Amino acid sequence: MSSSLSSSSYPYPPAIKRCPTKPILSTSVPLSKPEIEPRKRPHHIISSNNHSGNAGKTPQSRGTLLDLEKLKEREEKERKEEVNRKIASKKAISVILRREATKAVIEKKRGPVNSKKLLPRTVLEALNERITALRWESALKVFELLREQLWYKPNAAVYVKLIVMLGKCKQPEKAHELFQAMVDEGCDANTQSFTALLSVYGRSGLFDKAFSLLEHMKNTPDCQPDVNTYSILIKSCLKAFAFDKVQALLSDMSTQGIRPNTVTYNTLIDAYGRAKMFAAMELTLVKMLSEDCEPDVWTMNSTLRAFGNSGQIDTMEKCYEKFQSAGIQPSISTFNILLDSYGKAGHFEKMSAVMEYMQKYHYSWTIVTYNIVIDAFGRAGDLKQMEYLFRLMRSERIKPSCVTLCSLVRAYGHAGKPEKLGSVLRFIDNSDIMLDTVFFNCLVDAYGRLKCFAEMKGVLEVMQQRGCKPDKVTYRTMVRAYSINGMKNHAKEFQDLVEKMDETCSAMKRPDF
């Protein structure tokens, strides 16, 4: 494997035109000795001989009085500014204390829980933080607190944000209750709010309700579905591999006179690419161009990812050339896709060429970039380069994620380096990285490969301490490790757990088409 930087034969975007930097010219000026001025008397010192009225004052004494008046004015101005600063400081402290009190009420640390005079900004910030973090239970509690405030006025936009969040958390019942509460408070249900509720049903696999709501929108004035409504429902169907429903929705759009936009086509291209339905993907792209719907960088990235993930590197490069010739400029995500594709295909020279290009034209690496290259060199067994990139990532103050740690653990497990696993665990103990089940599965696999069975079983206790539940992958990995080493009794113990989980999954409700 060659990890050295090298040039590439395939085209990259043209270099950005930059003005050549001119060297700063410095002129040497001979330093001359400064002339020493005679020492002047301070203006505030007034001679005792000058108390005899203005008529007998000399020009020098009159200038001294003027300077004294200016000094007094400046001192008065500074005194007023100091007073104003103190007043502003007291007001700032008061606001801060009120905000802290509001936060305390929100977190239920102290103070009256049902306070109705909390600061609007702090309550709204707390609500927005919880919505962004998808902490739906806490967000709903803060929203109830918001509704109790004296200054509260119903706002449909806030309801829509909450409903979208509940959709991402797959809480359709709560979303429906919130939608009804919005209507009861006098907010008009419009296309945007209906689309938000429809997206909840789609994400939760409740397609009967989603299509029923779509028909209701068609028959409701001022709530007609738009291209965004259809695009969201199409995306949900594609995730459930309900391709027949997708075609029905596209036909319905045509009947309603709604033309798919770039987002709709990008959603279709990405889904067909991930499903390796390359013929359907190419037909969608051709149809997109035939309807004068301009492709964008998302179209290019979805196409490159589809061919790159399937190992069709030549096709990926040809598509890159065509998109580039059409005037579509790459983004950092484009280069990440190229790096990932070349890394998985073992084309490290081309991968290094992309890295060199990014450095030359000042594309800042993101955490995704680092995760891709660390994983690529780790899979190739180049631990030295992998560790160098990990150190570089930390020096750039980019916080590693679970994906980063999984790549390190996987590489050390394959390389037979148990002591290196210990260093990763020590790094985790000194950090605040939130670990997930995927990381622990990688750790179980690494210990199994290294035949450290006590440590492998101990991972289950650590998972319990950190609030992570083992899944089927966890137990199957342990079964495989025990079986390979002839430990049949241990393997049977965890195989029984896998079968119980399979029974539970089979009893779960599937999408209702």
Side-chain angles (χ1 to χ4, degrees), residues 27 35 161 217 224 243 302 305 325 345 357 395 422 436 470 502:
T27 57
E35 296 180 359
K161 280 187 176 182
M217 291 177 68
Q224 296 297 307
F243 297 108
S302 296
R305 186 187 297 110
S325 62
Y357 181 89
S395 69
D436 56 13
D502 286 336

Side-chain angles (χ1 to χ4, degrees), residues 369-389:
T369 314
Y370 275 107
N371 286 342
I372 287 170
V373 294
I374 286 172
D375 186 67
F377 286 111
R379 289 179 184 275
D382 191 345
L383 301 185
K384 185 177 179 180
Q385 186 72 6
M386 179 190 74
E387 290 171 347
Y388 165 74
L389 290 166

